[in-house]
Amino acid sequence: MIALVKPCEKYLQSYIEAYDEYKQNDVKTYAFDDARAYNIFEKYDNYRHERNLKPNRVGSDYYWLVDEDKNYFIGEISIRHRLTDDLKRYGGHIGYGIRFSEWNKGYGTLMLRLALEKAKNLGITTVLITCNDGNHGSAKVMENNGLVLQDKISNIVNGHTITTRRYTKQI
């Protein structure tokens, strides 16, 4: 059964394999963590409880989309508890990534649909999600979930000017 779960050891090896797929395919749209380098569960716990965060970071809940029958990690989604001015321009409330070998199978749409319920339970009433203008897959995932393009703005990311699509939805 496909489910959205809290990150746990049961799927860690599969998560690491998904991280490796991203590296092998030079995916830069979302960054899975290098779970070999440190305890990612401690990181997730710190974000959930808003402690030991780097400056300009906000609390977030992380979830993994998994195939429970196969002990298989499919994707990760984070829901930020609140937005800074920077996150209102680039990032929004929700960030997500699907394992490279599972792209274009509908998992992003499913994962976001499940996460929107979690965001609503966190007290978020209007969700903002962004993507780079050229990330048509992510834009489609948002549109499939009823988000509406609010606008496109310019941002400077890592020294490069990019166009950012900002989508919103009342939840």
Side-chain angles (χ1 to χ4, degrees):
M1 180 170 132
I2 306 299
L4 194 64
V5 301
K6 289 183 179 178
C8 62
E9 286 283 339
K10 180 177 181 180
Y11 305 105
L12 182 59
Q13 183 56 44
S14 187
Y15 177 92
I16 290 169
E17 292 164 5
Y19 169 86
D20 291 343
E21 282 183 27
Y22 264 30
K23 290 294 179 193
Q24 291 163 1
N25 293 284
D26 200 31
V27 176
K28 304 235 190 292
T29 54
Y30 184 86
F32 294 136
D33 288 303
D34 183 357
R36 295 178 192 97
Y38 61 92
N39 184 338
I40 62 170
F41 302 116
E42 182 178 321
K43 172 198 164 183
Y44 297 148
D45 191 59
N46 282 337
Y47 270 91
R48 174 163 279 150
H49 295 97
E50 298 191 35
R51 63 176 178 245
N52 304 318
L53 301 181
K54 294 177 183 177
N56 300 317
R57 299 292 177 140
V58 300
S60 303
D61 286 7
Y62 284 81
Y63 295 94
W64 287 353
L65 187 71
V66 300
D67 183 326
E68 294 177 313
D69 299 328
K70 297 178 182 176
N71 291 339
Y72 184 72
F73 170 86
I74 298 167
E76 177 177 80
I77 195 160
S78 65
I79 306 167
R80 296 179 187 94
H81 301 164
R82 59 189 162 74
L83 297 180
T84 63
D85 287 340
D86 286 343
L87 286 171
K88 289 176 186 174
R89 292 188 56 80
Y90 187 83
H93 285 101
I94 297 177
Y96 51 85
I98 296 294
R99 180 186 198 120
F100 183 78
S101 59
E102 300 299 332
W103 284 11
N104 300 312
K105 296 181 181 178
Y107 289 125
T109 297
L110 172 63
M111 186 169 65
L112 180 55
R113 180 175 53 80
L114 297 171
L116 288 171
E117 283 300 313
K118 305 271 188 197
K120 185 176 183 178
N121 292 337
L122 286 171
I124 298 169
T125 57
T126 302
V127 68
L128 169 71
I129 309 176
T130 73
C131 68
N132 293 349
D133 193 37
N135 189 343
H136 303 291
S138 189
K140 184 173 172 134
V141 164
M142 289 184 264
E143 292 164 0
N144 286 344
N145 277 285
L147 280 90
V148 176
L149 180 62
Q150 175 181 306
D151 57 19
K152 294 182 183 184
I153 62 172
S154 291
N155 280 302
I156 298 177
V157 178
N158 298 325
H160 297 96
T161 301
I162 62 161
T163 301
T164 302
R165 292 178 180 226
R166 298 189 320 152
Y167 286 84
T168 59
K169 179 181 180 175
Q170 299 275 336
I171 55 172

